[in-house]
Structures are given as structure tokens and as C-alpha cells.
Amino acid sequence: MASIITLVRLLLLLLPVPLRKHLWPASHQAEDLAGAGELLHPIFMVPGVSCSDLEARLTEAYQPSIPSCGALKAKGWFGLYENSSDISEHHYHKCFEEQMSLVYDPIRNEYRNLASVETRVPYFGIVKGYHQKNPLGPKWCLTRLIEALEEMGYRDGDTMLGAPYDFRYAAPIPGQTSQFYSHYFKELMELVEATSEKHHKKVIIFGHSLGGMVILEFIRSTPLAWRDKYIKHLILVAPTLSTGFLSSVIYLASGPQGDLLYVPKATALSLRPMWRSFETSIINIPSTKAYGHKPIVITKQRNYSAYDMEDLLTDIGFEHAIEPFRRRVMPKMNYFKAPMVP
């Protein structure tokens, strides 16, 4: 019963503030939360795209396209996508786009960094490592939810943990390889086990947007017995499921919009080549099972349905995405295995 009450409280935190206050008045919150710390199941928070930071290191073999991009070569780790204002202040746009870009390896059927560019995701295990890249944009990195959880008694790095990820890569399904996610899933699995054993409780995993897809694939990659032992609840809020979204087509055609990939003074079109290099850019192309033959792109020349996505990729000048689309995305569109977690 106690765990059900805790779950209800967590779900209440997802509601708009006026509705939450109506259903859970402040006078009741103080009473409900008194002594709740001992009942709290540890929770892992995994937000959407671009909330995680990314650091890079350029090896001696790095060959920059322009000399200024090699200024940090062989000088250790630096924040590649951390404080987005630094990109403009240091006139680093071209270098940023070059060093952030991925390449598809058809032999291994997976994406990787450019040669001599190494990357890592910092702050694994804490939620305060998530950063809003657009300081003037809406808070969508679970900031308010994290603050509300702290009011409930959750503590960063102890009962509330973060699992930041490299948003350029798409989480694989069984049978697909991913150098990044093979390490990420292993590290997350170990942290879940350690946290659960430390607090003698199963953990709750919360994923939002792309983070929801990452966590769903993590859960589905684990043995069922492991899930039964360590996972209390899986909560997915607006996950980017493999059925696809119309907005993904817009981003492919015109570049990432709004806060999806915020870089000061950069236009969506200027970021489009870099965005197209990410595996993430094609992972949510509309699927035939969800969209059927209904036109989703209408032009003067022709209309395109979900069955015409390869033609669309060719017509927008992105034909080299067809192979990874066939080999990495289409299998995901037909993978509907339930996570088997309440």
C-alpha cells in the first residue's frame, strides 16, 4: 500500500500546478510527506534530447577543416555541448558542428564519432548534471519535477539519480550493436543494482521524451528476472516511440527547430547537416503501421506517405540515410515487445 501511495504522489507531480494543488492541497502535502523519506523508492530521472551535456577530446591525429578548430587538440577534455552561449562567444559554430557530427559505418551497421574525436557524457548518477541549453526557453529538463521530488524528500545522487546519455545515438533493440549504449546500459544496470541494494528497495525509472525511449530499450534489454528483482515502476512521459512523429520529417527537411538543439545565433538550416549526421534524426520517421498510406508530406510535385519515406529522403538530398534507415530504423518500427514492468 505504501508503494502505491508513493506512486500516486509521483504522478500528481506531473499534473499542471493548479490541478495538482486542487487534488493535493498544500495543507495535506506537509502531512503526507512527513516521515516519507523512509518509504521512498529510489528514482532515476532521464529527460529528453539535449538535456545531457557532452564533452569532447581531440587526439593528435585530429585533422580540422579549418585551423581554428584544432585549437583544443591534445589538450584534454572540454565542454563540447554544455554552455551553449560559449559556442557563439568563441565563434565556435563551424568547429562545434564538425566535432558533434557522426558518421554511419555500413560495415558495422552503427554510428560513430568522426576519426580522432572522442566524446563522453559527464555527471552520470546525478540529476543536477542536466542543463537547459536555452536559458530563455521553457524548462523542459525535468527541472520543476526534480525540485518537487526534493520537497518530497528525495536527494540528488542518493535516492534521486540521473542517467544522462548521448542524444546523438538511438538506443538499439536486441540484435543491433551500439558502442555507446553497450557501455551505457552496463553502467546503468550496475548503478540500479547498487542503489537498490543500498536502500533495500526496488527503484523507479522515469523517462521523458527521447529519455523515455532510451529507458524503454534499456529495460527491454535486461533479463526478466533482473527486472522483477530491481525495478518497481517504469514511468514514461511522452516517449518518442518507434511509431514516429511528423515533426521528425520537418527536422530532416528544414533542420532542428526551437529548443530541440539550441545553438545561439545559429539557424535551423545551418544546423541541418550536423543534425542529419545523428542517428537520432531518422529514428522517429513515421512508420507504416501507425500512419499507413495517408499523405504526411504534400508538395506540388507529389505526396508522400509513410510508405514513401525512402523516396522522400532522396528528394530532400538525404539519400545516404536510406541504408541506416533500412537496417537500424525499420527493425525498430516492428519491435513491440512489452517491458513487463508495472
Side-chain angles (χ1 to χ4, degrees), residues 1 7 16 36 63 91 154 184 246 276 303 314 339:
M1 177 62 73
L7 178 60
Q63 297 294 323
H91 307 288
Y154 280 95
Y184 176 86
L246 296 180
R276 286 183 174 184
N303 296 339
T314 299

Side-chain angles (χ1 to χ4, degrees), residues 149-168:
L149 288 170
E150 289 178 330
E151 292 179 4
M152 288 182 63
Y154 280 95
R155 294 294 174 261
D156 190 11
D158 181 30
T159 51
M160 179 169 54
L161 302 100
Y165 56 93
D166 191 330
F167 65 90
R168 301 174 301 164

Side-chain angles (χ1 to χ4, degrees), residues 52-56 78-81 100 119-122 166 168:
S52 303
D53 291 350
L54 196 63
E55 296 179 341
F78 63 93
L80 180 59
Y81 195 42
M100 280 282 288
T119 54
R120 69 181 184 186
V121 181
D166 191 330
R168 301 174 301 164

Side-chain angles (χ1 to χ4, degrees), residues 108-111 170 172-179 182 279 328:
R108 299 180 60 181
N109 184 29
E110 67 174 279
Y111 285 76
I173 62 173
Q176 293 182 335
T177 60
S178 172
Q179 184 176 6
S182 62
E279 183 178 9
R328 293 192 67 84

Side-chain angles (χ1 to χ4, degrees), residues 111-147:
Y111 285 76
R112 59 173 174 79
N113 285 317
L114 294 177
S116 306
V117 177
E118 301 173 355
T119 54
R120 69 181 184 186
V121 181
Y123 309 116
F124 191 82
I126 60 174
V127 297
K128 292 299 172 63
Y130 297 131
H131 294 117
Q132 194 83 18
K133 301 304 186 292
N134 183 356
L136 302 179
K139 294 184 178 181
W140 72 330
C141 291
L142 306 181
T143 304
R144 291 191 176 92
L145 179 56
I146 289 171
E147 292 171 351

Side-chain angles (χ1 to χ4, degrees), residues 32 44 61 82-83 85 104 120 127 129 152 154 180-181 225 236 243 252 262 277 280 295:
D32 291 343
F44 283 71
E82 190 174 64
N83 183 349
S85 62
Y104 173 69
R120 69 181 184 186
V127 297
M152 288 182 63
Y154 280 95
F180 171 77
Y181 277 107
L236 304 179
T243 49
L252 282 176
Y262 177 74
S277 79
T280 315

